[in-house]
Amino acid sequence: GSTFAFTLPLANVTESGGVRIGLSELTQHLDNLSQPAAGNRPKVLIVDDEASIREVLKQMLHEEGFDTIEASDGVEGLDAVRNKKPDLVVLDVMMPRLNGFDCAAAIKADPATAHVPIVMLTVVDDAQRAYGLGVEVYLNKPFEPNVIIQAIHELVKRRTETPRVVIVGPEEQSVAL
């Protein structure tokens, strides 16, 4: 039942010093961020300190048509996200050197990797914290194989759908990538 009012002063915007890029360059950059490489199987990075969990996930994902990369802790996982450019990350929380929450935060804070979806798979019950970091799916161990496979398929499908971008400027345009 409360009503709030406020006033925001408008300022004249001067040249920000930002770099201007052309529409075709922007379209290419957004296309590279949004879709797996054409003709390749989607690549999933599995980050878990338990080799048995990595092996089970690897077998499941290979049967479903995914290629996999493995990392045994958050530091290796973060390095793999930056250098191997996976289409999706399956991430545990309780790991040595760098835990899953810190790894997810680093992935989502980096503009070069922020677009990579994360499925957090863990015994830790703190979904709110994970979603606050930008994690797309939070699942608890022990997990149902069909649930994690369905979540991964949905996230990869979202990345391969044609996104629309509206560019606001002197000549407003809508671009399908």
Side-chain angles (χ1 to χ4, degrees), residues 3-109:
T3 303
F4 298 92
F6 58 92
T7 303
L8 296 175
L10 296 177
N12 291 331
V13 178
T14 59
E15 192 63 37
S16 66
V19 177
R20 293 183 181 266
I21 62 171
L23 180 60
S24 62
E25 186 180 353
L26 175 63
T27 302
Q28 180 64 42
H29 178 70
L30 292 172
D31 191 41
N32 289 341
L33 290 178
S34 66
Q35 297 185 13
N40 293 339
R41 293 164 39 126
K43 195 173 8 175
V44 177
L45 170 62
I46 303 166
V47 185
D48 198 306
D49 60 328
E50 293 184 43
S52 59
I53 298 288
R54 290 195 313 269
E55 187 59 33
V56 167
L57 289 169
K58 179 179 164 181
Q59 289 175 6
M60 288 173 26
L61 291 167
H62 281 216
E63 289 174 11
E64 292 292 322
F66 295 96
D67 286 335
T68 58
I69 307 164
E70 295 180 50
S72 62
D73 63 43
V75 172
E76 286 180 19
L78 191 53
D79 184 56
V81 169
R82 291 176 176 154
N83 296 314
K84 297 187 179 178
K85 312 279 189 238
D87 298 302
L88 185 135
V89 177
V90 177
L91 183 62
D92 185 22
V93 170
M94 304 282 291
M95 295 183 293
R97 297 201 301 164
L98 184 67
N99 71 51
F101 290 125
D102 293 341
C103 184
I107 291 168
K108 293 302 184 178

Side-chain angles (χ1 to χ4, degrees), residues 60 143-153:
M60 288 173 26
F143 58 90
E144 292 290 328
N146 60 331
V147 173
I148 192 165
I149 292 297
Q150 180 181 356
I152 290 170
H153 275 298

Side-chain angles (χ1 to χ4, degrees), residues 33 81 104-118 133-136:
L33 290 178
V81 169
I107 291 168
K108 293 302 184 178
D110 185 344
T113 60
H115 66 282
V116 178
I118 299 173
L133 294 170
V135 169
E136 283 77 5

